[in-house]
Short mmCIF file of all heavy atoms in Angstrom, two decimals:
data_model
loop_
_atom_site.label_atom_id
_atom_site.label_comp_id
_atom_site.label_asym_id
_atom_site.label_seq_id
_atom_site.Cartn_x
_atom_site.Cartn_y
_atom_site.Cartn_z
N PHE A 35 -4.14 7.16 10.00
CA PHE A 35 -2.73 7.54 10.12
C PHE A 35 -2.30 8.20 8.82
O PHE A 35 -2.74 7.77 7.74
CB PHE A 35 -1.84 6.28 10.28
CG PHE A 35 -1.43 5.97 11.67
CD1 PHE A 35 -2.29 5.30 12.52
CD2 PHE A 35 -0.15 6.30 12.15
CE1 PHE A 35 -1.91 4.96 13.81
CE2 PHE A 35 0.25 5.98 13.44
CZ PHE A 35 -0.64 5.30 14.27
N LEU A 88 1.96 -1.27 26.85
CA LEU A 88 0.79 -0.60 26.24
C LEU A 88 -0.30 -1.59 25.85
O LEU A 88 -1.47 -1.24 25.83
CB LEU A 88 1.23 0.22 25.03
CG LEU A 88 1.85 1.58 25.34
CD1 LEU A 88 2.34 2.25 24.07
CD2 LEU A 88 0.87 2.50 26.06
N HIS A 202 -1.59 -1.03 20.54
CA HIS A 202 -2.51 -0.15 21.30
C HIS A 202 -3.13 0.86 20.35
O HIS A 202 -2.69 1.00 19.20
CB HIS A 202 -1.73 0.60 22.39
CG HIS A 202 -0.76 1.59 21.83
ND1 HIS A 202 0.47 1.22 21.30
CD2 HIS A 202 -0.83 2.94 21.66
CE1 HIS A 202 1.10 2.29 20.85
NE2 HIS A 202 0.33 3.35 21.04
N THR A 203 -4.12 1.56 20.83
CA THR A 203 -4.60 2.76 20.15
C THR A 203 -4.30 3.93 21.07
O THR A 203 -4.19 3.76 22.29
CB THR A 203 -6.11 2.69 19.87
OG1 THR A 203 -6.80 2.41 21.09
CG2 THR A 203 -6.45 1.58 18.87
N ASP A 204 -4.15 5.13 20.50
CA ASP A 204 -3.91 6.30 21.34
C ASP A 204 -5.26 6.77 21.90
O ASP A 204 -6.31 6.39 21.42
CB ASP A 204 -3.21 7.40 20.54
CG ASP A 204 -1.78 6.98 20.17
OD1 ASP A 204 -1.27 6.00 20.75
OD2 ASP A 204 -1.19 7.64 19.29
N THR A 209 -2.45 12.56 17.62
CA THR A 209 -1.05 12.36 18.02
C THR A 209 -0.15 12.87 16.90
O THR A 209 -0.42 12.60 15.72
CB THR A 209 -0.76 10.86 18.26
OG1 THR A 209 -1.68 10.36 19.23
CG2 THR A 209 0.66 10.64 18.75
N LEU A 220 7.64 0.96 13.32
CA LEU A 220 6.28 1.42 13.66
C LEU A 220 5.33 0.83 12.62
O LEU A 220 5.50 1.02 11.42
CB LEU A 220 6.20 2.95 13.65
CG LEU A 220 4.79 3.54 13.84
CD1 LEU A 220 4.17 3.16 15.18
CD2 LEU A 220 4.81 5.06 13.69
N ASN A 241 -1.85 10.67 13.74
CA ASN A 241 -2.96 9.72 13.81
C ASN A 241 -4.00 10.24 14.77
O ASN A 241 -3.71 11.10 15.60
CB ASN A 241 -2.46 8.32 14.22
CG ASN A 241 -1.85 8.27 15.60
OD1 ASN A 241 -0.71 8.68 15.81
ND2 ASN A 241 -2.61 7.76 16.56
N HIS A 259 -1.76 0.23 16.60
CA HIS A 259 -0.38 0.33 16.11
C HIS A 259 0.59 -0.18 17.16
O HIS A 259 0.22 -0.36 18.33
CB HIS A 259 -0.05 1.77 15.68
CG HIS A 259 -0.26 2.82 16.73
ND1 HIS A 259 -1.51 3.28 17.11
CD2 HIS A 259 0.62 3.52 17.50
CE1 HIS A 259 -1.38 4.20 18.04
NE2 HIS A 259 -0.09 4.37 18.32
N PHE A 276 0.73 14.07 22.36
CA PHE A 276 -0.65 13.57 22.44
C PHE A 276 -1.58 14.75 22.71
O PHE A 276 -1.67 15.22 23.84
CB PHE A 276 -0.76 12.52 23.55
CG PHE A 276 0.12 11.32 23.33
CD1 PHE A 276 1.35 11.20 23.97
CD2 PHE A 276 -0.26 10.32 22.46
CE1 PHE A 276 2.18 10.10 23.75
CE2 PHE A 276 0.55 9.21 22.23
CZ PHE A 276 1.77 9.10 22.87
FE1 FE2 B 402 0.70 5.21 20.06
#
Side-chain angles (χ1 to χ4, degrees):
F35 260 82
L88 281 175
H202 68 282
T203 54
D204 292 346
T209 304
L220 173 62
N241 63 283
H259 56 285
F276 299 99

